[in-house]
Amino acid sequence: MTTTRYAATRDDYAAWIEAAGEPSYRVQQIWDALYTQRRPLEDATNLPASLRTAVAAAFPLALTPTLERRGDHDQTVKWLLTAADGLQVETVLMISPGRATVCVSSQAGCAMGCTFCATGQAGFDRQLHVGEIVEQVLVAAHASSERVSNVVFMGMGEPLANYDATWSAVERLHGDLGISARRITISTVGIVPGIRRLAREEIPVTLAVSLHAADDDLRSSMIPVNRRYPLTELIDAAHEYARARGRRVTFEYACVEGVNDQPEHAVRLAELLRPMGPLGAHVNLIPLNPTQDYAGRAPLGSRIREFAELLADHGLNATVRRNRGTDIDAACGQLRERATAPDDATSARMQP
Ligand code: SAH
Ligand code: SF4
């Protein structure tokens, strides 16, 4: 099987260089170009052109950019990337002064079936390989005006349901691309054994838990996997993570009008997270993004702010997330491949 460019290890390049009869210092040059300088191989001018061509042929890219959309005055860019088997995933770059964040997909589709999520509505296709995850970051890095400083696993898929590839990607991003551990965020729907396993890993990444409801009945109606890993177990695992790392866990809470945005929901949320202690939890309130198969909508901004204030009154640290990319369907939960859906009214907008 072909080893793709960002799946290949330094040893893979070394073996190839040796077999090609090239001097061994070429390995370091290739590695520097790919990971330190973060350049496309074609731009690695320290390598002879013939060698660049040969390396490119031996270690092909895993993903082909199929289309690209820009929003927020080019500060948000979304790509639809096509893998060798034709499956498509989405990657988003968000640039702000002095920082750039890449939101990567960990699976093609998702099997978790969260009702409000576009990816969940479309179902699961397959696991992504480590090279496909790392390559998404490089596609974005090559296009970014700022050096990529942060990576969030908040694109398509549930990272802890593809644990091994996700963790290998984290090791590459941290070790080879030099992204600091706290600037790598794994967002999970709440796979409890995965969270406990993460707590024992050497790289202390930031953990985000998608909570969205503070009681089991409501949460199970939005997030089916809550029946398997109910709230008490989930909070216990998150607490274990916070203790192991000495750092707080982020809890994402997508606000849906009339569903989870009432004052009693805020009080219940504060009670649920109380065992985490004042330093252990941070709540990130996200106005729900509209998706095709879910009727709920975001509350008014004033209600979300009241909700945040109520949490603060109960000792919980909360912020409201500014939505980016809603104009290009790149905001949370809107990542869904639409370009090939001819009956989808938005497909015309997706053409390059
Ligand atoms: N599977 C992981 C990571 C990908 S989803 C997880 O669920 O955490 C990234 C975030 O987007 C999660 O917090 C998810 O709950 C949230 N999300 C999904 N659909 C959304 C929507 N329609 N509006 C707002 N947030 C949404
Ligand atoms: Fe999957 Fe996360 Fe979407 Fe749920 S919210 S369906 S876990 S991607």
Side-chain angles (χ1 to χ4, degrees):
M1 201 183 104
T2 321
T3 308
T4 59
R5 195 162 309 161
Y6 295 102
T9 60
R10 195 191 285 254
D11 287 349
D12 292 327
Y13 284 109
W16 186 87
I17 284 288
E18 195 184 344
E22 291 283 339
S24 58
Y25 63 79
R26 295 289 186 209
V27 179
Q28 187 60 33
Q29 288 179 322
I30 294 172
W31 204 253
D32 271 354
L34 295 181
Y35 290 105
T36 313
Q37 299 169 33
R38 304 181 181 179
R39 290 204 216 168
L41 187 59
E42 302 72 54
D43 296 348
T45 43
N46 54 343
L47 299 173
S50 57
L51 184 60
R52 288 201 300 266
T53 312
V55 173
F59 299 97
L61 290 170
L63 303 169
T64 309
T66 303
L67 57 90
E68 181 184 309
R69 291 170 82 192
R70 290 173 178 261
D72 298 331
H73 305 286
D74 285 354
Q75 300 306 286
T76 305
V77 189
K78 169 183 163 182
W79 289 269
L80 186 63
L81 304 169
T82 306
D85 58 2
L87 285 176
Q88 296 184 312
V89 295
E90 297 184 351
T91 305
V92 185
L93 167 68
M94 290 158 283
I95 303 173
S96 17
R99 95 195 231 150
T101 301
V102 186
C103 175
V104 294
S105 297
S106 54
Q107 302 180 306
C110 185
M112 297 298 144
C114 304
T115 51
F116 51 89
C117 170
T119 309
Q121 290 159 11
F124 178 72
D125 289 314
R126 74 158 161 85
Q127 304 287 23
L128 294 189
H129 311 301
V130 54
E132 292 170 320
I133 300 174
V134 175
E135 192 170 317
Q136 293 174 61
V137 178
L138 273 306
V139 166
H142 296 161
S144 182
S145 55
E146 294 280 353
R147 190 167 171 85
V148 169
S149 50
N150 297 59
V151 175
V152 296
F153 284 78
M154 293 187 185
M156 298 166 99
E158 165 52 40
L160 299 186
N162 185 14
Y163 193 100
D164 292 340
T166 292
W167 193 256
S168 300
V170 167
E171 289 177 330
R172 303 296 290 278
L173 298 174
H174 181 65
D176 299 326
L177 275 178
I179 297 177
S180 88
R182 60 192 314 137
R183 291 183 169 171
I184 300 175
T185 300
I186 294 194
S187 173
T188 177
V189 69
I191 309 288
V192 167
I195 296 173
R196 297 200 193 279
R197 195 172 157 193
L198 265 191
R200 296 190 299 270
E201 300 283 5
E202 283 200 1
I203 306 171
V205 297
T206 296
L207 177 68
V209 173
S210 299
L211 204 55
H212 308 322
D215 76 84
D216 278 315
D217 285 345
L218 179 57
R219 191 164 189 271
S220 297
S221 73
M222 302 168 78
I223 302 177
V225 79
N226 185 67
R227 293 195 188 91
R228 181 132 174 235
Y229 304 116
L231 283 167
T232 352
E233 280 181 48
L234 175 57
I235 299 305
D236 189 61
H239 198 185
E240 179 184 331
Y241 194 84
R243 276 196 313 263
R245 300 305 187 202
R247 283 228 313 277
R248 66 189 186 184
V249 170
T250 297
F251 292 90
E252 293 155 289
Y253 194 95
C255 301
V256 191
E257 187 183 55
V259 173
N260 64 1
D261 67 337
Q262 304 298 307
E264 66 263 26
H265 296 117
V267 174
R268 205 172 288 177
L269 179 56
E271 279 166 8
L272 178 75
L273 296 182
R274 188 158 295 138
M276 302 283 301
L279 297 176
H282 175 86
V283 176
N284 204 192
L285 299 171
I286 313 167
L288 181 87
N289 291 309
T291 55
Q292 195 167 295
D293 300 337
Y294 185 69
R297 53 182 193 179
L300 290 174
S302 55
R303 177 169 285 281
I304 300 181
R305 282 193 297 279
E306 280 164 25
F307 196 91
E309 281 160 21
L310 207 48
L311 292 178
D313 291 347
H314 285 76
L316 245 192
N317 194 309
T319 45
V320 181
R321 184 184 292 175
R322 184 170 83 87
N323 260 334
R324 291 188 60 160
T326 31
D327 55 337
I328 55 167
D329 283 346
C332 304
Q334 292 189 309
L335 295 176
R336 179 154 63 152
E337 181 268 299
R338 293 183 179 185
T340 54
D343 58 344
D344 188 319
T346 62
S347 60
R349 290 196 285 128
M350 292 281 294
Q351 301 310 313

